[in-house]
Amino acid sequence: MAKRVKKKRATSRRTRQPKKLSDLFHETLKDIYFAENKIIKTLPKMAKAAHSRELANAFNKHLRETHGQVKRLDQIFRMLGKPARGKTCEAINGITDEGAEIMRDFKGMPALDAGLLSAAQAVEHYEISRYGTLRTWAEELGMTDAAKLLQATLAEEEATDQALTELATSVINLEAEEEEVSEAA
Ligand code: FE
Ligand code: FE
Ligand code: FE
């Protein structure tokens, strides 16, 4: 008897309203909204932990940009006539958990900054993936203004990723190696 009831529910679930690209766009917007707000809480901790002044400056600069990115998302929610609301993104929670682990395990160690950089780049790559997708979907949905806003943020995330790569190759990784050499000597 109980089994039959369950089956009936499953059928009615399948016959509910079809979910369209516009629904997916809205869901993904909530995902990145959650992620950006999580990043606003995380970047100050990373800037505080960084040994290199240059790296701390890079994190603080991107924190200011991130506030602007949240404002762009607010604008897009308004365009949709929906409340600006996030939905838990387990991916960004996982990436920032890894960053926290590095901060804990490498506290005061020469390789800390290299670890912070790697964590930050994982965040940027997640964002680049999401914003690339959202920009393209906005275009397909005919939301030209939203597409422009998403493209502006995408460009900031890509520039941040490149700036971090330059810092990694020019300063941080070298510093980590030098300190290891001088410790070994
Ligand atoms: Fe961002
Ligand atoms: Fe997500
Ligand atoms: Fe970012």
Side-chain angles (χ1 to χ4, degrees):
M1 260 317 231
K3 255 187 185 169
R4 182 170 280 186
V5 171
K6 255 190 179 172
K7 242 186 183 174
K8 257 191 176 170
R9 278 201 197 126
T11 309
S12 69
R13 208 176 286 146
R14 270 200 299 274
T15 53
R16 68 189 172 173
Q17 276 217 327
K19 291 190 176 183
K20 299 179 193 146
L21 185 63
S22 56
D23 300 307
L24 194 55
F25 180 79
H26 183 217
E27 288 305 306
T28 308
L29 207 62
K30 289 194 276 185
D31 178 273
I32 197 68
Y33 195 74
F34 176 94
E36 293 291 14
N37 282 295
K38 177 88 185 198
I39 292 161
I40 283 177
K41 282 185 227 147
T42 308
L43 276 172
K45 293 180 200 164
M46 293 173 73
K48 210 179 154 198
H51 292 156
S52 152
R53 169 70 66 88
E54 271 182 89
L55 183 57
N57 287 345
F59 288 152
N60 282 321
K61 180 185 178 221
H62 197 49
L63 176 62
R64 290 191 293 275
E65 285 174 337
T66 303
H67 282 287
Q69 295 173 352
V70 168
K71 284 194 183 128
R72 287 192 194 111
L73 293 174
D74 284 330
Q75 274 181 268
I76 300 171
F77 278 112
R78 272 202 296 279
M79 289 171 186
L80 292 174
K82 307 271 190 196
R85 203 176 290 153
K87 183 185 73 178
T88 304
C89 167
E90 295 300 355
I92 203 73
N93 280 345
I95 292 169
T96 52
D97 281 352
E98 281 188 358
E101 195 182 332
I102 288 169
M103 277 193 258
R104 202 172 55 237
D105 293 351
F106 284 82
K107 199 177 177 194
M109 300 288 169
L112 174 74
D113 282 2
L116 289 175
L117 262 159
S118 72
Q121 283 196 292
V123 170
E124 295 316 310
H125 285 208
Y126 180 71
E127 293 184 290
I128 288 165
S129 157
R130 281 285 172 262
Y131 279 110
T133 296
L134 282 165
R135 188 266 334 266
T136 301
W137 285 347
E139 283 167 357
E140 283 171 23
L141 292 165
M143 299 179 65
T144 311
D145 291 340
K148 278 183 198 154
L149 291 169
L150 293 162
Q151 176 57 45
T153 295
L154 177 61
E156 283 174 358
E157 310 293 22
E158 285 171 342
T160 302
D161 179 47
Q162 276 165 27
L164 291 173
T165 296
E166 274 164 39
L167 268 179
T169 49
S170 68
V171 188
I172 313 293
N173 289 345
L174 270 177
E175 264 176 22
E177 275 171 37
E178 274 166 20
E179 282 177 60
E180 269 163 35
V181 169
S182 67
E183 268 166 26

